[in-house]
Amino acid sequence: MSAEREVWREALGVVLATSAYGVSFGALAVASGLDVWQSCVLSLLMFTGGSQFAFVGVFAAGGVSALPSAIASATLLGLRNVAYGMRMSPIVGTTPARRVAAAHFTIDESTAVAISQSDPRLRQVGFWVTGVGIFVGWNITTLIGALVGDVLGDPKAWGLDAAAAAAFLALLWPRLKERQAIAVGVAAAVVAAAFTPFLMPGLPVLVAAVVAVVVGWFNWLGRVDSTATSGEVGR
């Protein structure tokens, strides 16, 4: 199998897993009080799953009066895409038109598939196939979920709440080859889990991102690895 076909296969696997999760969002959005068209517009314009779930979660708890809090929660959680944008800027293309178009498709999954490739051309393929594929699939399944939400019942009973997380973990797992990368992942996960019960949606992810940056910046375990490698080479 050629390298490009392998990237397509990886990207389409993520597209299928993440798009399936859109059914869950559509059903939950309608259950929270939004109508079908409002649910679909959220997916078309916001198009970042975590922020969308944060929005409908807060909205469901407080209704129209909680709208400012729902918007704030979605915005906080969406700030991570700014960091993704800076990372993806040299990858998606050099023309302003390509960068403007890429902004809407810069999400967790498209970033993960892109940076997992070593060749610049394959990074572009991974980014665009994943981003555009999920956009199309997510909006289709949002509509399906919104229309059949009552028939579907609790999306968690079908395991749809775990689809996106499982796909992202599958992308992350091969990169955890060194102790430093494992330390960053574990530290961020522990901090996010610890703060989730106490902070509004969106903030735990941002706090975990700060912790990940700090752990990665000092590279404590990476230094140990490099020292050990140097010693082995010397011997």
Side-chain angles (χ1 to χ4, degrees):
M1 180 178 296
S2 67
E4 184 166 337
R5 288 186 63 186
E6 181 66 27
V7 175
W8 271 83
R9 188 178 72 168
E10 178 180 330
L12 291 177
V14 175
V15 168
L16 290 175
T18 306
S19 297
Y21 196 26
V23 176
S24 178
F25 171 75
L28 292 174
V30 172
S32 72
L34 300 179
D35 60 31
V36 173
W37 293 112
Q38 289 170 331
S39 304
C40 291
V41 167
L42 267 181
S43 284
L44 282 169
L45 301 182
M46 188 178 290
F47 185 53
T48 171
S51 295
Q52 292 178 230
F53 278 101
F55 181 90
V56 298
V58 176
F59 184 78
V64 177
S65 62
L67 191 58
S69 297
I71 295 173
S73 298
T75 301
L76 284 171
L77 197 53
L79 286 177
R80 72 194 188 281
N81 290 346
V82 175
Y84 294 159
M86 292 187 290
R87 181 67 178 86
M88 291 293 99
S89 181
I91 294 176
V92 298
T94 56
T95 65
R98 286 176 69 89
R99 291 185 176 181
V100 170
H104 200 56
F105 306 122
T106 303
I107 55 176
D108 300 301
E109 293 81 5
S110 61
T111 302
V113 173
I115 64 176
S116 67
Q117 314 305 321
S118 56
D119 182 79
R121 185 181 63 83
L122 295 181
R123 287 184 172 184
Q124 287 197 15
V125 173
F127 175 84
W128 288 107
V129 173
T130 306
V132 175
I134 291 177
F135 179 78
V136 173
W138 180 265
N139 281 280
I140 291 174
T141 54
T142 293
L143 175 60
I144 294 172
L147 291 174
V148 303
D150 292 336
V151 178
L152 180 67
D154 185 3
K156 295 180 180 179
W158 299 84
L160 295 176
D161 58 317
F168 198 76
L169 181 60
L171 290 171
L172 177 65
W173 191 261
R175 302 181 66 85
L176 301 179
K177 297 179 180 179
E178 298 179 358
R179 285 181 291 177
Q180 177 65 17
I182 295 173
V184 171
V186 171
V190 169
V191 169
F195 280 98
T196 295
F198 309 106
L199 299 180
M200 65 184 298
L203 283 179
V205 173
L206 297 180
V207 175
V210 172
V211 172
V213 169
V214 171
V215 176
W217 179 270
F218 286 102
N219 198 30
W220 292 300
L221 296 177
R223 289 173 183 167
V224 173
D225 289 344
S226 61
T227 302
T229 302
S230 299
E232 291 173 0
V233 172
R235 288 195 295 272

